[in-house]
Amino acid sequence: MNSSCETRKLSGEPEETRKLSGEPEETRKLSGFTRTLALTVCSAAIGGTFQYGYNISIINAPTNYIQSFINETYAERWGTVLETPQVTLVWTLIVSAFSLGGWLGALLAGPLSVRFGRKNSLLLNNSFLLVGAVLVLTSRAARSFEMILVARFLVGVNSGVSMNVQPMYFGESAPTHQRGAVAFSSAVFTAFGIFLGQVVGLTGLLGAEPHWPYLLASNALPGLIQLLTLPWFPESPRYLLIDRGDREACVRALARLRGGEAPALEMEEMLQEQEQQKSKSGSAASAKTPCSLFKDPDLRSQLRTVMAASSAMMLCGNDSIYFYAYYIFLAAGIPPENIQYITIGTGASELTASILSNLLIERVGRRYLLVGGYGLMSCWSVVFTVALILQSRGVAGMAYVSMACVFAYILSFGLGPAGVTGILPAEIFDQTARPAAYMVAGSCMWISLFLVGMLFPFIVKYLGSFCFLPFLAVCLVSAVFLGLTLPETKGKTLAEITAEFDRKNGVKKKEEERTSMQVDEPVREHYQLGKARSFTSLAQDHDLKNGN
């Protein structure tokens, strides 16, 4: 009886309204939650990780047109044309400006998310995107390829912020037992952005020479959709309670996300985390900085693992395939006129793999998907290298074997590293350390992407058939390192994951310290803390609830 009264009080919904609704309370709560959270995810992701994937892929289609524009404008200014290596260098700088902007965005994401909140940070982030779109649209009239470079830098800042803030927003807004599935939607939207960008870049749409400024500026449309829709959805309840100390706002936000009432047990779990943070600092929880994160000896093993996983995600060369798909398939012997259609297959492969990964994550586990993904990528790198060597010696059919290896490489990446890497900081760091952890992980990711983006054209040019050997080394080292250092996080609380890291590093904690971090057993059993659920299983749970 007391628990029921407390739930009614937390929900802020009049009892008479619930009685007159005519709908079972559990069914209405679940369907309301599903609707609200699903719309929140779509609104945040369409201007978030979707933009990252979209902006990676749209730059590939107008490669030749922009390079011609660079040469034309340079000749108009200086009366001479650039040599091919010089044009390649300028083009590489334009491509890599996206990565440099992403690095800055990753550094801004932590302070923005703490100062303005998760939702407002995503909304403010669209300003970089809109300014970049204006620069691209006016670059042809201004006869300035430098404006394209600045625009790509600003688009990178946008992607850097969203890649860090969006997973935090999702992880803190979803029910604990469904947090993994919601967080995995970031990878699904990234893959969807890659695929859609490749489709829009077809010559029959915006990929023709007269339309390339509109293609690069088309990223403003998803940003506008987010600006119009996201303000209608609530802020992260955990941010409101633990970071801002606003319990009433937290209850209101949680009630909206759960379909009309804030579950008492979920509120209790968040209040316990708030008290734990206060007991550590002696006051209200304050967010850690990257510097304090590096100085904390208790978090060094977690930080080292996240940095390795984030760096490997880009150093493996998967995203460079989208940047330089034209060069890869040309080297594989694919006719130039067919390359644009082949590249669509790469985006479709990652989209398929990301959806499949969401279904497998709770059966296989994070660790096995991550290590297995890099292991498979190592195997395909070897096969791809052998195929390129045989192709250079005139063996028939090797071009299509090479193409199949690229697809298999992307599928393997999507099954493991693409989805698991992004949710690791949310699972192994607490509320105060999470923004700083995402800053560090994002910095490693974007610096690695910049290095690979700068070096990849020269790797293809000078290594030829052996161009994937550096990525083979990265995948092998990553699989071994993560297999040795990363414990399985599936279905475990933060305290259990921390204890696993301690055991792997030979650190023995006092039992009372470990116990103080544990959530009460009834809460843990009710919410299955740390356990991700696929969207398929959520639908099944919904049917079971209705049946009961």
Side-chain angles (χ1 to χ4, degrees):
M1 183 70 180
N2 293 338
S3 176
S4 176
C5 293
E6 183 181 358
T7 302
R8 292 194 187 100
K9 183 178 179 180
L10 287 170
S11 69
E13 183 183 3
E15 184 176 359
E16 293 78 12
T17 302
R18 289 192 296 274
K19 288 181 178 179
L20 292 173
S21 66
E23 185 180 2
E25 184 173 347
E26 285 297 320
T27 300
R28 186 167 45 79
K29 182 178 80 170
L30 183 59
S31 62
F33 152 71
T34 302
R35 236 182 355 258
T36 304
L37 186 57
L39 291 173
T40 302
V41 166
C42 291
S43 178
I46 198 66
T49 54
F50 172 88
Q51 289 282 22
Y52 170 70
Y54 188 77
N55 285 294
I56 279 181
S57 61
I58 61 172
I59 197 65
N60 181 64
T63 296
N64 293 331
Y65 307 137
I66 296 178
Q67 289 181 353
S68 298
F69 177 70
I70 292 169
N71 232 337
E72 290 170 7
T73 53
Y74 188 87
E76 289 174 6
R77 294 179 197 174
W78 309 106
T80 181
V81 296
L82 294 169
E83 299 293 332
T84 301
Q86 295 172 318
V87 174
T88 302
L89 179 60
V90 175
W91 171 244
T92 304
L93 288 173
I94 290 175
V95 171
S96 299
F98 178 76
S99 306
L100 287 177
W103 182 20
L104 177 60
L107 296 176
L108 291 174
L112 282 175
S113 63
V114 173
R115 174 68 178 84
F116 298 104
R118 286 35 165 169
K119 184 183 81 170
N120 289 333
S121 295
L122 290 173
L123 291 172
L124 290 171
N125 190 35
N126 287 292
S127 60
F128 300 109
L129 199 70
L130 298 178
V131 173
V134 172
L135 289 174
V136 167
L137 288 173
T138 55
S139 62
R140 177 178 276 172
R143 308 303 293 172
S144 170
F145 63 83
E146 293 88 353
M147 294 173 68
I148 303 175
L149 189 148
V150 175
R152 289 294 295 178
F153 179 82
L154 293 174
V155 169
V157 174
N158 172 272
S159 295
V161 172
S162 62
M163 287 286 285
N164 285 4
V165 175
Q166 182 184 307
M168 280 191 280
Y169 184 35
F170 286 178
E172 295 170 8
S173 298
T176 310
H177 64 288
Q178 298 168 349
R179 197 169 293 163
V182 174
F184 247 87
S185 63
S186 296
V188 175
F189 273 92
T190 299
F192 179 56
I194 290 171
F195 176 72
L196 188 60
Q198 291 168 338
V199 172
V200 174
L202 291 173
T203 52
L205 296 175
L206 294 180
E209 196 280 332
H211 306 312
W212 66 260
Y214 303 105
L215 174 62
L216 296 186
S218 61
N219 53 24
L221 183 59
L224 289 173
I225 292 174
Q226 185 182 80
L227 284 172
L228 292 174
T229 58
L230 191 58
W232 298 97
F233 298 106
E235 177 59 270
S236 153
R238 286 180 179 271
Y239 168 79
L240 292 171
L241 178 66
I242 300 175
D243 290 75
R244 300 293 296 273
D246 193 338
R247 180 170 178 172
E248 292 183 1
C250 171
V251 171
R252 289 195 300 268
L254 194 61
R256 289 191 59 195
L257 289 168
R258 303 299 179 264
E261 67 178 55
L265 286 173
E266 194 167 351
M267 278 297 302
E268 180 185 349
E269 186 250 320
M270 285 192 286
L271 288 168
Q272 285 176 351
E273 184 175 351
Q274 184 188 37
E275 289 302 317
Q276 290 165 11
Q277 299 301 327
K278 286 182 179 180
S279 65
K280 290 179 182 178
S281 60
S283 59
S286 58
K288 288 181 177 289
T289 64
C291 184
S292 62
L293 202 61
F294 277 105
K295 292 180 179 179
D296 190 339
D298 294 333
L299 297 177
R300 282 176 187 164
S301 56
Q302 289 93 319
L303 191 60
R304 185 167 56 245
T305 301
V306 165
M307 290 174 66
S310 300
S311 300
M313 184 179 176
M314 294 304 168
L315 291 176
C316 71
N318 183 80
D319 286 348
S320 296
I321 291 176
Y322 298 114
F323 279 142
Y324 302 106
Y326 181 86
Y327 294 111
I328 293 174
F329 290 124
L330 195 63
I334 306 300
E337 62 273 13
N338 294 335
I339 288 179
Q340 62 174 332
Y341 302 105
I342 299 298
T343 54
I344 292 178
T346 61
S349 296
E350 185 164 342
L351 178 59
T352 302
S354 64
I355 295 173
L356 180 60
S357 182
N358 180 265
L359 301 175
L360 290 175
I361 185 65
E362 277 310 308
R363 292 172 180 251
V364 181
R366 281 81 153 148
R367 180 172 176 267
Y368 288 109
L369 279 181
L370 196 60
V371 175
Y374 282 122
L376 287 174
M377 291 164 72
S378 302
C379 296
W380 294 122
S381 297
V382 173
V383 177
F384 185 56
T385 301
V386 172
L388 288 178
I389 293 172
L390 294 176
Q391 180 185 334
S392 66
R393 296 180 180 178
V395 179
M398 287 297 107
Y400 295 97
V401 174
S402 302
M403 183 177 66
C405 287
V406 171
F407 287 147
Y409 193 85
I410 292 172
L411 276 168
S412 302
F413 177 80
L415 280 174
V420 177
T421 305
I423 67 172
L424 283 181
E427 289 201 329
I428 66 179
F429 290 96
D430 62 22
Q431 185 80 9
T432 58
R434 198 170 295 138
Y438 269 107
M439 289 172 66
V440 174
S443 297
C444 292
M445 184 186 78
W446 287 103
I447 291 172
S448 300
L449 182 61
F450 172 74
L451 292 175
V452 175
M454 286 291 293
L455 296 175
F456 194 80
F458 301 101
I459 291 174
V460 172
K461 181 178 179 180
Y462 292 108
L463 292 184
S465 300
F466 300 96
C467 62
F468 258 65
L469 288 184
F471 306 124
L472 167 62
V474 170
C475 292
L476 281 174
V477 171
S478 301
V480 173
F481 178 80
L482 294 173
L484 293 174
T485 61
L486 179 65
E488 179 54 61
T489 61
K490 179 185 70 173
K492 295 179 180 178
T493 65
L494 179 62
E496 291 170 335
I497 294 170
T498 302
E500 287 286 342
F501 273 105
D502 292 336
R503 278 194 289 271
K504 281 183 172 288
N505 290 277
V507 178
K508 292 185 178 180
K509 294 266 185 177
K510 292 181 180 179
E511 188 63 32
E512 56 268 23
E513 290 178 347
R514 233 177 255 156
T515 305
S516 67
M517 295 177 63
Q518 293 281 2
V519 180
D520 288 347
E521 192 65 24
V523 181
R524 178 177 180 271
E525 289 181 354
H526 184 83
Y527 285 103
Q528 304 175 47
L529 299 183
K531 182 176 181 180
R533 303 286 293 277
S534 71
F535 289 115
T536 303
S537 67
L538 301 189
Q540 292 172 349
D541 288 351
H542 186 209
D543 294 338
L544 289 173
K545 285 286 185 182
N546 289 338
N548 292 335

